[in-house]
Amino acid sequence: MSLIIKNGKILLEGQLVHKEVEIEDGKIKRINDYIDAENHEIIDAKGHFISAGFVDVHVHLREPGGEHKETIETGTKAAARGGFTTVCPMPNTKPVPDSVEHLDRLHKIIDEHAVVRVLPYASITVRQAGKEHVDFKALKDRGMFQFTDDGVGVQTASMMYEAMQEAAKIDKAIVAHCEDNSLIYGGAMHEGKRSEELNIPGIPAICEAVQIARDVLLAEAANCHYHVCHVSTKESVRVIRDAKKAGIKVTAEVTPHHLLLTEEDVPGDDAIYKMNPPLRAKEDRDALIEALLDGTIDCIATDHAPHAKEEKEVPMVDAPFGIVGSETAFQLLYTNFVKTGKFTLEQLVSFLTTKPCETFNLPYGRLEEGSYADITIIDLDTERPILAEEFASKSSNTPFIGEVVSGYPILTICDGEIIYKEEV
């Protein structure tokens, strides 16, 4: 399909400037002040912002095994509605993509039903049980993205060290959910002032940081790229910052909800606010923002984790962890950080495009001639509330329902094909 996007603005040296974008054969052919529209389909951007499509290196699509929460079709439609053109689903499915057979099955579903580019993780251990390594080379040869046991931390140092050694041999990263199970104590939220007030068991901050501290030293010894999922505490930031200064190959991500909310936002025993890692203290949130801005944390990832409505309508201690984020990430971050002057628009777009791609050496996330035609057009001005009934996802487990925001993606293109267009 040959397309020309007219009447839009792109970011150029930190400024929004009028440009036209020509798309041909799935690539961006030209970006210019004016492009002849003959024999092209025209997209009128109506003065809105044209961005590279966002890249989310941490989502849960639930299929196979959790289709009542989300499917690859609904999860990728949600991603497209949120402006994401590449997503990387975690392996906590049933079955786990821990073998060539299981990964092949997953790729088949992706090929048949995904509307955005999907790069699936394989697990580090068989069934994510932490007892036996997967066949790293065979899974790499079959087209997995990276290795992770996200959802659970790898508990033994020897298992993690040996995994890092194997991943390093094939130039892949170990992507870690960092949580020492012996320090969870049955917690359902952050251990702090609010958990005491609500009499809900708390998860201490050290539960996360102590495993990161172990792992960065193992990564140094194994000469492995080590990536930390959903960083949530100031202690974790300190360990990652020190590791980077020491020259260790460590990268990290942070979620929108950990940048926006703290334990003080938890209104009561409400499982919509139950997520892993939990919402931490204000000083933790402040440390995360500082770390993102100074490069200690490399990128933003949503950790989109859908659950059925009834699964969250129980006390926090009984509910599953997780919050959806694909359809709300940019709007929330733009409204709360760019419009308030804490981030520039250029910084926010970078955290969602070039930064995750640089983290994992991906060829996406760029709006330039010759790059993949992955584009989202965004209305930066119109304000309206986040409504669950508008979600493309099967689930709406987020505390941000009803929040009035601006920065809604109105059209998304992946590989030169229109995959989402806002209904007017």
Side-chain angles (χ1 to χ4, degrees), residues 23 73 78 90 108 122 168 175 187-188 193 236 240-241 315 394 406:
I23 296 168
E73 180 179 1
M90 292 296 172
K108 186 174 186 295
V175 175
K193 179 179 70 173
S236 299
I240 294 164
R241 185 176 284 128
K394 277 192 170 187
S406 55

Side-chain angles (χ1 to χ4, degrees), residues 112-187:
E112 290 176 355
H113 297 292
V115 302
V116 304
R117 185 181 297 105
V118 179
L119 308 177
Y121 286 91
S123 61
I124 295 170
T125 65
V126 176
R127 296 185 303 280
Q128 294 188 296
K131 304 294 186 184
E132 178 187 354
H133 290 128
V134 298
D135 187 333
F136 289 86
K137 186 176 185 306
L139 287 163
K140 179 194 176 179
D141 292 345
R142 214 55 157 224
M144 49 64 69
F145 173 49
Q146 309 291 345
F147 294 96
T148 184
D149 271 5
D150 182 66
V152 289
V154 176
Q155 296 304 301
T156 63
S158 62
M159 185 64 59
M160 182 58 101
Y161 181 47
E162 291 158 14
M164 288 178 172
Q165 289 176 312
E166 292 302 310
K169 289 177 187 175
I170 57 173
D171 196 27
K172 286 292 180 180
I174 291 294
V175 175
H177 174 114
C178 295
E179 189 173 38
D180 187 315
N181 290 351
S182 69
L183 295 170
I184 297 174
Y185 300 121

Side-chain angles (χ1 to χ4, degrees), residues 9-54:
K9 300 173 186 175
I10 70 168
L11 266 173
L12 204 61
E13 297 179 355
Q15 301 296 316
L16 286 172
V17 296
H18 287 275
K19 291 287 180 181
E20 298 188 351
V21 180
E22 181 180 8
I23 296 168
E24 196 169 275
D25 297 327
K27 296 289 181 72
I28 295 174
K29 184 177 180 182
R30 276 189 295 171
I31 300 175
N32 215 328
D33 293 340
Y34 173 79
I35 299 171
D36 183 7
E38 190 176 348
N39 300 321
H40 287 75
E41 181 178 337
I42 304 302
I43 296 172
D44 183 359
K46 299 179 181 177
H48 296 310
F49 171 45
I50 305 169
S51 170
F54 307 140

Side-chain angles (χ1 to χ4, degrees), residues 102-360:
H102 292 160
L103 189 60
D104 284 349
R105 175 184 171 184
L106 180 58
H107 276 301
K108 186 174 186 295
I109 302 169
I110 290 166
D111 291 343
E112 290 176 355
H113 297 292
V115 302
V116 304
R117 185 181 297 105
V118 179
L119 308 177
Y121 286 91
S123 61
I124 295 170
T125 65
V126 176
R127 296 185 303 280
Q128 294 188 296
K131 304 294 186 184
E132 178 187 354
H133 290 128
V134 298
D135 187 333
F136 289 86
K137 186 176 185 306
L139 287 163
K140 179 194 176 179
D141 292 345
R142 214 55 157 224
M144 49 64 69
F145 173 49
Q146 309 291 345
F147 294 96
T148 184
D149 271 5
D150 182 66
V152 289
V154 176
Q155 296 304 301
T156 63
S158 62
M159 185 64 59
M160 182 58 101
Y161 181 47
E162 291 158 14
M164 288 178 172
Q165 289 176 312
E166 292 302 310
K169 289 177 187 175
I170 57 173
D171 196 27
K172 286 292 180 180
I174 291 294
V175 175
H177 174 114
C178 295
E179 189 173 38
D180 187 315
N181 290 351
S182 69
L183 295 170
I184 297 174
Y185 300 121
M189 63 179 292
H190 173 63
E191 182 184 80
K193 179 179 70 173
R194 194 69 180 127
S195 66
E196 289 183 12
E197 291 170 351
L198 296 172
N199 196 29
I200 292 172
I203 303 171
I206 196 66
C207 174
E208 173 181 295
V210 71
Q211 200 164 80
I212 299 173
R214 177 199 75 178
D215 286 353
V216 294
L217 293 174
L218 296 176
E220 181 179 38
N223 193 28
C224 176
H225 175 192
Y226 171 67
H227 180 80
V228 186
C229 293
H230 41 52
V231 178
S232 73
T233 76
K234 64 183 188 297
E235 294 87 359
S236 299
V237 166
R238 187 174 75 230
V239 172
I240 294 164
R241 185 176 284 128
D242 288 347
K244 285 193 169 189
K245 286 178 182 176
I248 300 170
K249 292 195 288 188
V250 56
T251 55
E253 71 194 36
V254 65
T255 71
H257 46 277
H258 287 111
L259 293 170
L260 290 163
L261 300 174
T262 72
E263 60 172 343
E264 295 172 24
D265 293 299
V266 180
D269 189 358
D270 184 348
I272 288 295
Y273 290 82
K274 184 178 181 181
M275 53 208 71
N276 192 5
L279 299 173
R280 302 290 189 181
K282 181 180 182 298
E283 56 264 32
D284 294 305
R285 192 263 311 272
D286 293 345
L288 296 174
I289 295 169
E290 180 186 354
L292 185 62
L293 288 170
D294 72 18
T296 299
I297 294 175
D298 297 84
C299 61
I300 294 173
T302 68
D303 193 9
H304 174 80
H307 292 291
K309 189 171 185 286
E310 61 273 14
E311 293 173 321
K312 286 287 194 174
E313 293 177 336
V314 296
M316 284 183 81
V317 292
D318 299 320
F321 292 98
I323 170 178
V324 292
S326 293
E327 297 175 76
T328 59
F330 184 84
Q331 301 94 297
L332 286 166
L333 294 165
Y334 177 74
T335 302
N336 287 281
F337 288 100
V338 177
K339 291 184 77 172
T340 58
K342 295 170 186 171
F343 299 166
T344 66
L345 177 59
E346 190 171 29
Q347 284 174 318
L348 176 56
V349 169
S350 175
F351 295 146
L352 292 166
T353 57
T354 54
K355 294 293 187 181
C357 290
E358 287 169 0
T359 298
F360 292 109

